[in-house]
Structure formats: structure tokens, C-alpha cells
Amino acid sequence: MFSYSTYLSLGCSFLALAANAAPATLATRASFSGCKTITIAAQTVPAGKSLALTNLADGTTVQLAGDISFGTGVHWTGNLFTLQGGKIIFNGNGHTINGNGAYYWDGQGTNGGVDKPKYTVELKISGSFTNVKVINVPGHAFSVQNPSALTISSVTYDNSAGAKLGHNTDGFDVSHSTDLTITGCTVINQDDCIAINSGTNVVFSNNSCTGGHGISIGSIKTGNVVNGVTISNNKVINNQNGLRIKTYADNNNASVSNVIYKDNTVTGATSYGVIIVQDYTNSGETGTATPGITIKNVSFQGTNSVSTTSSATMVKVLCYPGDCTGTWNWSGLKTSGGKKGTNVGGAPITGYTF
Ligand SMILES: *[C@@H]1O[C@H](CO)[C@@H](O)[C@H](O)[C@H]1NC(C)=O
Ligand SMILES: *[C@@H]1O[C@H](CO)[C@@H](O)[C@H](O)[C@H]1NC(C)=O
Ligand SMILES: *[C@@H]1O[C@H](CO)[C@@H](O)[C@H](O)[C@H]1NC(C)=O
Ligand SMILES: *[C@@H]1O[C@H](CO)[C@@H](O)[C@H](O)[C@H]1NC(C)=O
């Protein structure tokens, strides 16, 4: 049976846990403070328990030596795998983290239905996180809240088994992030590929997003600030939307500034190719933009090739008059395939004709 002293006598390997292991969140103490490298063995984490490595010493390397699966039999809301610490070097060595979502999927996601672990992977680290496959998440896949520079690369998140009943299965939910790069990742899911809710200097480059709701900034609520986002060289394939900024209706004291879209390719978008709106709510757009959240400086550089299905709208902009400001140079946007859209509310777009 797992215990603190047993663990220490095993050195820095995080071996399989006994089914009756306690407490519910294991290894939340500074158990690994003597370890420069922590190796997590292949294992099935008991149902209703988290694998949480928190308060890691600066510079710790964490690696997977096998696949991690999360047991089922309890509907609960805890996050499944958590890493927290500074300058952490995580390498999944190509192994898989399996949330066994089919046990939870009921078509209602995190909006209702049975309790579901909200996030399968929770990252509160700086450093790097690479080379892992995440499958079958019960709720959202990644929560990313990095206090300083973090690069996430070569992650494959494949939730295709949830095509029918998976819901709200976001890829990367980013908030309170500083200097984040997500690059070379593959996402196949049923909701946003990435949703940037707050943060500074976020780069999302060279990723592919298939089957979900697209690349999103927002939804932005009261108090959220997003400043400095570069979205470049991504492929967005058969999503509802391609590139989106959504601010929440009837919220205020928030802003989105300095967003650059460069050299992205969107194909087969079924609702909108590009959509920037200030009337978003969780249950749909209201049709009426509300004041109090500003969107400043949104540019399309290089060549962004955006094509939609014929019934979709290529570009929709809906701003509260005066709340979309600054420079909106859209000369790098080329659209095709769908219906012409509208620019309602006077966003100062140049270089693109609706
Ligand atoms: C883009 O990501 C792929 C892996 O998905 C990688 O092989 C390739 O080198 C990356 N290209 C750039 C320019 O970073
Ligand atoms: C506005 O939001 C910021 C966080 O971005 C917060 O610090 C500040 O207190 C808020 N101001 C008001 C008037 O609510
Ligand atoms: C918008 O961009 C201009 C330069 O293009 C810059 O001077 C201004 O500070 C930016 N606005 C914000 C809110 O960062
Ligand atoms: C918009 O950007 C393009 C390409 O970067 C540039 O050539 C053009 O001068 C810009 N237009 C305006 C109005 O600034």
C-alpha cells in the first residue's frame, strides 16, 4: 500500500498505487523534494483519486515510464492529473493519459448530467511539457495556468471516441497565463481547440485542430484581460468555427488586445470562418452586443486562408459601437466557400471587404 515512507524508500519512482490508497489526492505534500527526476510508472489510478504532483522543487524532471489510466466507478469532479511547480521538465515519452471518458459522457459535458472530472490535465507549471497523448477526457482536457514561461509541444489530444456523447471537451483552457507557447500539437475534440480566457503573451503555433469549435479567445468575462496573442501556422479542419473572439454579454471591465493571426488555414468550417462577437452567452449568442469589454488591435498578417461550407458565414463581426478599436488590418485574410457576413458595430477593419 502506498504511503509516504514507502514512497521514499522507493526513491523517486512513483509506482502503481494500491486501490485503497489514501488520501484522495496523493502526493500533495512536498514528497518529491529530494528528487531531481520523478518517474511515474504505468498504472491505473484508483477511481475517484487524483494523481497530483504539487509543490515540486524548481527544475524537477517528471517523466512517464508507461501509460496512465484513470479508474472508473465513481462520478466525481476532481481534476485527474496535476503538475505544479517552477521550471518543470515534463516528458511523456510518447505514453498515453487515458481519462476513460466513456464512463462519464452523457452529452451534457460540464454543463450538467453526472459529475465529471473537470480537467484531465491541470498544469500550473513553468518550463516545458511535451510528448504525450491524452485520450477520452470526461470533461475538458487541459487547464493551463502558467505563472511564467511554459512551452507545451508535441501533445496529441484525441477525443474522437467522444464524437457522439462527449461535450465541452475543450483542448487547452488558458487563464492567468504569462508567456505561454503551445506548438506542434494535435487536437481532435468536440469543443474549442484552445480557449484563451486571460493571459499575456500567448503563442499558439503549428497545431492542428479537427472536429471541434475552433481556435478561440474567450469567452471573456468581467475582470479578464488578454493581451498579446499570436495564432500562427495552424490548421483548423472541419470545426464549427475557424478563428473566434467571444466576449460575454452583460459583462464589463475586461479587454482583449493585440491579437495577430498569421498564416493559418481553416477548411470546412460549418458555422463561421472568422467570428468576433460581443453578445456571447453559454446558451448561445443573444444578437445584441453589450458595452464594457474592449477589443483592440486585431490583425491578419501573411496569408490566412479561411474556407467554409456553403451554408456557413465566412466572417461575422458584432461589436458594441466604440468597443472594437485600434488597428484592425485584415489584409492577410482570404475567405471562400460560404455566405458573406457583416461588420455590425463599426469595428475599424481595413484591407478586407465583406
Ligand atoms: C510543426 O509540428 C510538427 C509536429 O506536429 C513538427 O514535425 C514540425 O517540425 C513543426 N514545424 C515547425 C515549423 O515548428
Ligand atoms: C477590473 O478588473 C481587474 C482585473 O483585471 C481588477 O483588478 C479590478 O479590481 C476590476 N475593477 C473593478 C472596478 O471591478
Ligand atoms: C494598438 O497598436 C498600436 C500600434 O499598432 C499601439 O500603439 C497601441 O498601444 C496598441 N493598443 C493597445 C491597447 O495595446
Ligand atoms: C496592412 O498590412 C499590410 C501587410 O502587413 C501592409 O502592407 C499595409 O500597409 C497595412 N495597411 C495599413 C492600412 O496599415
Side-chain angles (χ1 to χ4, degrees):
M1 180 173 142
F2 176 88
S3 74
Y4 183 60
S5 55
T6 309
Y7 166 74
L8 282 185
S9 71
L10 295 169
C12 297
S13 294
F14 199 106
L15 300 179
L17 304 165
N20 58 349
T25 298
L26 291 148
T28 52
R29 295 158 288 196
S31 345
F32 303 108
S33 55
C35 298
K36 283 263 177 265
T37 300
I38 297 168
T39 303
I40 303 175
Q43 58 190 284
T44 298
V45 176
K49 296 192 193 298
S50 304
L51 181 54
L53 281 66
T54 59
N55 299 314
L56 295 168
D58 273 15
T60 304
T61 294
V62 179
Q63 56 183 5
L64 298 189
D67 296 344
I68 310 296
S69 180
F70 286 88
T72 57
V74 181
H75 288 121
W76 71 306
T77 57
N79 297 331
L80 296 179
F81 180 53
T82 296
L83 288 176
Q84 185 253 318
K87 298 184 179 145
I88 303 305
I89 302 157
F90 175 89
N91 191 338
N93 290 311
H95 295 298
T96 296
I97 296 173
N98 183 352
N100 284 306
Y103 173 71
Y104 304 89
W105 293 332
D106 56 8
Q108 299 193 58
T110 49
N111 289 336
V114 301
D115 283 350
K116 302 170 185 75
K118 185 162 187 196
Y119 290 102
T120 290
V121 180
E122 179 185 32
L123 299 180
K124 293 185 164 176
I125 58 171
S126 61
S128 59
F129 181 96
T130 191
N131 199 15
V132 72
K133 187 169 180 186
V134 174
I135 62 171
N136 303 342
V137 307
H140 309 240
F142 283 84
S143 166
V144 183
Q145 301 187 35
N146 59 303
S148 58
L150 170 66
T151 299
I152 297 174
S153 62
S154 302
V155 168
T156 296
Y157 162 39
D158 183 351
N159 214 51
S160 48
K164 281 210 175 73
L165 287 176
H167 192 68
N168 303 133
T169 54
D170 292 22
F172 300 97
D173 282 355
V174 173
S175 57
H176 308 291
S177 241
T178 305
D179 298 334
L180 171 67
T181 297
I182 299 176
T183 189
C185 298
T186 300
V187 172
I188 304 167
N189 69 341
Q190 297 84 35
D191 207 305
D192 293 335
C193 182
I194 180 172
I196 302 168
N197 291 297
S198 63
T200 304
N201 192 18
V202 176
V203 175
F204 191 70
S205 68
N206 190 26
N207 305 290
S208 80
C209 304
T210 301
H213 293 178
I215 293 175
S216 192
I217 296 175
S219 58
I220 302 295
K221 293 186 173 171
T222 297
N224 288 357
V225 174
V226 172
N227 186 10
V229 176
T230 300
I231 291 171
S232 64
N233 280 297
N234 302 289
K235 289 187 169 52
V236 186
I237 304 156
N238 299 342
N239 281 239
Q240 275 183 7
N241 308 294
L243 307 170
R244 170 152 76 158
I245 302 175
K246 46 182 173 176
T247 73
Y248 217 90
D250 297 321
N251 280 232
N252 53 54
N253 184 34
S255 62
V256 175
S257 312
N258 301 314
V259 178
I260 297 171
Y261 297 102
K262 187 166 187 288
D263 297 329
N264 298 290
T265 305
V266 175
T267 51
T270 55
S271 293
Y272 298 97
V274 174
I275 174 167
I276 300 179
V277 292
Q278 297 197 303
D279 68 339
Y280 183 81
T281 72
N282 216 15
S283 49
E285 290 167 34
T286 65
T288 307
T290 61
I293 302 183
T294 55
I295 304 178
K296 292 178 197 161
N297 293 351
V298 178
S299 70
F300 286 83
Q301 301 177 0
T303 304
N304 293 270
S305 166
V306 173
S307 73
T308 69
T309 60
S310 56
S311 59
T313 299
M314 293 186 289
V315 180
K316 174 178 180 174
V317 178
L318 174 62
C319 294
Y320 187 81
D323 276 358
C324 291
T325 64
T327 303
W328 292 45
N329 183 341
W330 287 25
S331 62
L333 174 62
K334 305 284 172 266
T335 54
S336 63
K339 296 182 283 196
K340 286 181 192 302
T342 47
N343 177 15
V344 175
I349 294 165
T350 59
Y352 176 82
T353 307
F354 280 77

